[in-house]
């Protein structure tokens, strides 16, 4: 199962196990059980601290990683390979007593949770968002004896997935009831369980001293702005819903200069580590709802947060990014995560052998159609325009696929379902006006981005598309407020460009601060 390079890496990691663990394997007679048995045998052979024993869990193939002589452990149903291999390695280490690098106050909060929590999470090996959820729940199960977690490969347990109507990953159940879908950080999960968290965090935020530079948003632009500002030795903070932004939802990245290939979550993790090398106050799970601009140059801007707290800063850098654009037709919201999806890499495996549609003929839409064509029975690509807008090389690849139909000048008008899941869609032929219906099992929406700027209307200048209008140095229409990245009028929405724009905004904010008259700063303090 493991190649020589991976075997050597894993052996080096397992040296960090401090307490003996056992792999409790529940295997059947099928091929996947044999694969899992081979994998577990290879792992056990790499360390004297790891043993392999038989188990009798109802899910086969599955295994538990358990600290010997205790009930501390986590369970995987299926093979944790692909994106979940890292989850497997971390579980081995943490069950074996290797400490987590999470913040100590967060770890203490998990240990203090009062209640019995049985988590089950469904993942796919191609899902780049799933490992964060799996790893967070695994860590919670290791820290608190009243928490259990089973990570389930949905592709291997189709009957279970169908019975529970799981059509997107990650999907998490708590004590048998749906808990959440989509990527979740450890902080988010704990906050949902500990209802007093938000109030405590809001109180702490309110007590913070004003920042010289406060960045709203934690994507590539925000991270770059923070690094460049902090290197100037000025008080710098980041307030964001999650660190990494939309790059966390990006699968393959092959145009980040000097890095031939990486993936969004990996890039985001490296970016966060880099930012934390500096004295930057990172505040996640924070949603900005409004800005009260300073009344005079050099004064303090105030940022209102959804929690009721507020932050103050002499300069702001807005890097709120963008989100996937919705079709905006009847049925789309109703069937979100029940056949309407936005991540083909994450949710594509659930449609193996089925019929799906991809909405959008740009690069992302055509790439999605190509990827899905290798999994599903048939793909219908629907493009509003009279021609596809994807790169020529992608269009040639698409045209070579026998199970793809391309519909141009087609306007999606409705998502159809049976109350539980998607069964099809209707579209209008824009040339003839005729309305057609397609029977489908899933719809993947890939029609571009919408800037996350609704909360800024009336505060500073926005374009008719909602983009923040900026100058050459990232300056906005309000003195002391700068912006960078996909939320702005920068025409090219690329990671490397967002980083450069963030660096520009960070330097511009510093330049603004050092040129303020001393008396203005003193009066505004």
């Amino acid at each position: 199962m493991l190649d020589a390079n991976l075997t050597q890496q894993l052996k080096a990691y397992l040296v960090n196990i401090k307490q003996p663990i056992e792999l409790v394997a529940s295997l059947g007679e099928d091929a996947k059980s044999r694969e899992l048995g081979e994998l577990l045998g290879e792992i056990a052979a790499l360390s004297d601290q790891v043993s392999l024993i038989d188990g009798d869990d109802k899910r086969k193939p599955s295994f538990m990683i358990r600290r010997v002589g205790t009930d501390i452990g986590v369970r995987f149903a299926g093979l944790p390979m692909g994106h979940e291999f890292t989850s497997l390695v971390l579980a081995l280490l943490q069950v074996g007593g290797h400490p987590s690098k999470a913040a100590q106050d967060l770890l203490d909060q998990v240990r203090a949770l009062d209640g019995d929590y049985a988590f089950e999470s469904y993942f796919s090996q191609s899902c780049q968002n799933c490992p964060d959820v799996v790893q967070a729940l695994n860590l919670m199960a290791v820290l608190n004896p009243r928490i259990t977690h089973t990570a389930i490969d949905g592709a291997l347990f189709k009957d279970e997935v169908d019975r529970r109507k799981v059509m997107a990953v990650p999907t998490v159940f708590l004590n048998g009831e749906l808990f959440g879908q989509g990527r979740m950080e450890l902080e988010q999960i704990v906050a949902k369980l500990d209802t007093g968290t938000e109030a405590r965090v809001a109180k702490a935020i309110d007590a913070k001293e004003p920042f010289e530079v406060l960045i709203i948003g934690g994507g590539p632009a925000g991270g770059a702005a923070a690094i460049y500002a902090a290197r100037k030795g000025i008080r710098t903070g980041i307030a964001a819903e999650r660190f990494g932004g939309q790059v966390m939802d990006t699968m393959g990245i092959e145009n980040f200069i000097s890095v031939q290939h990486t993936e969004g979550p990996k890039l985001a993790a490296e970016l966060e580590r880099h930012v934390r090398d500096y004295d930057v106050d990172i505040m996640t799970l924070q949603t900005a709802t409004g800005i009260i601009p300073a009344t005079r140059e050099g004064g303090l801007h105030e940022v209102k947060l959804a929690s009721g707290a507020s932050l103050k800063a002499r300069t702001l850098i807005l890097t709120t990014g963008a989100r996937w654009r919705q079709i905006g037709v009847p049925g789309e919201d109703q069937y979100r995560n029940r056949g309407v999806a936005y991540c083909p890499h994450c949710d594509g495996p659930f449609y193996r052998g089925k019929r799906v549609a991809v909405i959008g003929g740009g690069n992302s839409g055509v790439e999605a159609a190509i990827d899905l064509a290798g999994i599903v029975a048939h793909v219908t690509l629907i493009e509003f325009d009279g021609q596809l807008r994807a790169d020529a090389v992608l269009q040639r690849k698409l045209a070579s696929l026998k199970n793809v139909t391309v519909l141009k000048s087609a306007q999606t008008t409705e998502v159809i379902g049976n109350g539980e899941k998607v069964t099809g869609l209707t579209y209008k032929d824009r040339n003839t006006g005729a309305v057609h219906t397609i029977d489908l099992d899933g719809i993947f929406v890939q029609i571009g981005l919408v800037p996350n700027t609704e909360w800024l209307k009336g505060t500073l200048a926005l374009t008719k598309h909602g983009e923040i209008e900026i100058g050459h140095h990232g300056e906005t229409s309000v003195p002391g407020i700068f912006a960078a990245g996909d939320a702005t009028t920068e025409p090219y929405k690329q990671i490397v460009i967002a980083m450069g724009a963030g660096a520009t905004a960070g330097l511009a904010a510093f330049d603004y601060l050092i040129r303020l008259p001393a008396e203005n700063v003193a009066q505004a303090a």
Side-chain angles (χ1 to χ4, degrees):
M1 286 289 294
L2 302 176
D3 61 31
N5 183 51
L6 208 54
T7 298
Q8 285 302 113
Q9 290 182 29
L10 185 55
K11 187 175 183 178
Y13 283 129
L14 296 182
V15 171
N16 295 306
I17 293 179
K18 295 177 171 56
Q19 300 181 55
I21 61 176
E22 52 195 7
L23 307 177
V24 188
S26 299
L27 306 176
E29 301 299 326
D30 56 290
K32 288 297 181 183
S33 288
R34 289 192 292 273
E35 286 183 40
L36 179 57
E38 181 183 347
L39 173 64
L40 298 180
E42 291 178 4
I43 294 172
L46 295 177
S47 172
D48 293 337
Q49 294 277 57
V50 182
S51 57
L52 176 59
I53 63 175
D54 291 332
D56 60 354
D57 189 73
K58 64 181 180 180
R59 292 190 182 98
K60 293 181 175 62
S62 70
F63 68 101
M64 184 176 188
I65 306 172
R66 183 169 63 197
R67 188 175 298 170
V68 173
T70 74
D71 292 326
I72 297 172
V74 300
R75 186 177 296 278
F76 288 92
L79 276 75
M81 300 300 287
H83 287 290
E84 290 302 338
F85 187 74
T86 301
S87 301
L88 169 61
V89 175
L90 284 174
L92 291 166
L93 296 179
Q94 290 168 355
V95 175
H98 188 66
S100 168
K101 294 181 179 180
Q104 189 59 50
D105 58 345
L106 183 58
L107 299 178
D108 292 340
Q109 195 176 353
V110 173
R111 293 188 182 99
L113 287 171
D114 185 21
D116 295 312
Y117 303 102
F119 285 102
E120 298 167 291
S121 65
Y122 290 86
F123 68 87
S124 70
Q125 293 185 17
S126 60
C127 170
Q128 71 269 27
N129 290 324
C130 295
D132 288 318
V133 175
V134 171
Q135 291 165 23
L137 294 173
N138 278 349
L139 177 58
M140 292 173 66
V142 171
L143 294 172
N144 189 322
R146 300 179 68 180
I147 299 174
T148 63
H149 176 228
T150 300
I152 306 161
D153 185 348
L156 291 187
F157 296 89
K158 287 294 294 177
D159 290 344
E160 190 173 326
V161 162
D162 292 341
R163 174 171 52 82
R164 299 183 103 167
K165 299 180 176 64
V166 176
M167 301 185 71
V169 287
T171 292
V172 178
F173 288 84
L174 171 59
N175 298 333
E177 301 294 329
L178 182 64
F179 177 77
Q181 292 179 307
R183 186 176 179 275
M184 289 178 279
E185 303 278 1
L186 177 60
E187 293 90 338
Q188 291 173 288
I189 297 170
V190 174
K192 289 186 71 171
L193 301 175
D194 184 354
T195 55
T197 299
E198 186 175 21
R200 291 195 300 272
V201 172
K203 183 177 180 180
I205 285 176
D206 265 335
K208 291 181 182 290
E209 293 294 319
F211 293 91
E212 291 300 307
V213 175
L214 176 63
I215 298 143
I216 309 300
I227 289 169
Y228 271 78
R231 284 174 61 86
K232 296 296 185 181
I234 55 181
R235 179 167 160 74
T236 304
I238 293 178
E241 292 185 20
R242 61 173 181 171
F243 201 97
Q246 195 192 30
V247 75
M248 293 295 294
D249 303 324
T250 304
M251 184 64 173
I253 300 171
E254 297 179 341
N255 57 359
F256 190 69
I257 309 305
S258 83
V259 179
Q260 290 181 318
H261 177 84
T262 187
E263 293 176 349
K266 181 179 179 180
L267 177 62
E270 294 290 343
L271 178 60
E272 183 173 3
R273 277 193 286 272
H274 195 174
V275 172
R276 290 188 183 277
D277 283 342
Y278 298 93
D279 188 16
V280 177
D281 188 344
I282 299 176
M283 298 159 279
T284 56
L285 303 186
Q286 301 304 315
T287 303
T289 58
I291 294 175
I292 301 176
T295 56
R296 60 188 304 156
E297 190 174 27
L300 295 175
H301 306 284
E302 182 175 0
V303 178
K304 295 290 187 179
L305 303 175
S307 64
S310 63
L311 292 163
K312 293 182 179 180
R314 210 168 299 283
T315 62
L316 300 177
I317 301 177
L318 308 178
T319 62
T320 49
R323 62 187 183 276
W324 292 116
R325 185 183 300 276
Q326 295 182 246
I327 318 169
V329 300
E332 180 179 16
D333 286 335
Q334 180 182 354
Y335 292 103
R336 182 190 301 270
N337 294 325
R338 293 193 292 164
V340 175
Y342 300 84
C343 179
H345 300 293
C346 301
D347 301 332
F350 288 98
Y351 298 88
R352 187 176 301 277
K354 298 182 178 181
R355 301 178 65 85
V356 303
V358 173
I359 313 298
N363 280 349
S364 59
V366 172
E367 287 174 355
I370 293 169
D371 288 344
L372 289 166
I375 301 173
V376 305
H378 188 270
V379 180
T380 300
L381 179 69
I382 299 176
E383 166 56 35
F384 181 86
D385 202 355
Q387 60 184 5
L388 300 183
R389 293 165 284 107
D391 294 342
V393 63
L394 294 175
Q395 292 194 44
R396 286 194 296 271
K397 175 63 177 177
L398 185 72
S400 72
L401 301 174
K402 302 301 183 184
N403 62 336
V404 176
T405 300
V406 177
L407 301 176
K408 302 173 187 176
S409 297
Q411 179 181 359
T412 304
T413 53
E414 184 179 4
V415 172
I416 303 170
N418 61 9
E420 293 186 352
K421 61 182 181 179
V422 164
T423 59
L425 63 74
T426 60
Y427 73 92
K428 182 175 72 174
D429 185 322
R430 296 179 57 235
N431 294 322
T432 67
V435 176
H436 304 276
T437 300
I438 308 175
D439 294 331
L440 297 165
D441 299 290
I443 300 168
F444 291 84
V445 181
Q446 303 280 288
I447 56 173
L449 303 171
V450 178
N452 297 315
T453 58
E454 292 88 350
W455 63 289
L456 294 170
K457 289 180 179 178
T459 302
L460 44 73
L462 304 174
T463 69
K464 64 179 181 179
H465 301 297
E467 296 175 322
I468 303 169
E469 294 184 356
I470 58 171
H472 293 303
H473 299 98
E475 69 274 21
T476 72
S477 60
V478 178
I481 300 181
F482 302 82
D486 288 1
T488 73
T489 48
E490 167 56 54
Y492 303 111
K493 315 302 186 186
Q494 298 291 314
I495 294 170
V496 68
I497 292 174
M499 284 187 173
T504 297
L507 293 172
F510 175 72
D511 188 65
Y512 173 86
L513 288 168
I514 63 175
R515 295 176 187 279
L516 286 172
E519 59 271 19
N520 286 26
V521 176
Q523 291 174 5

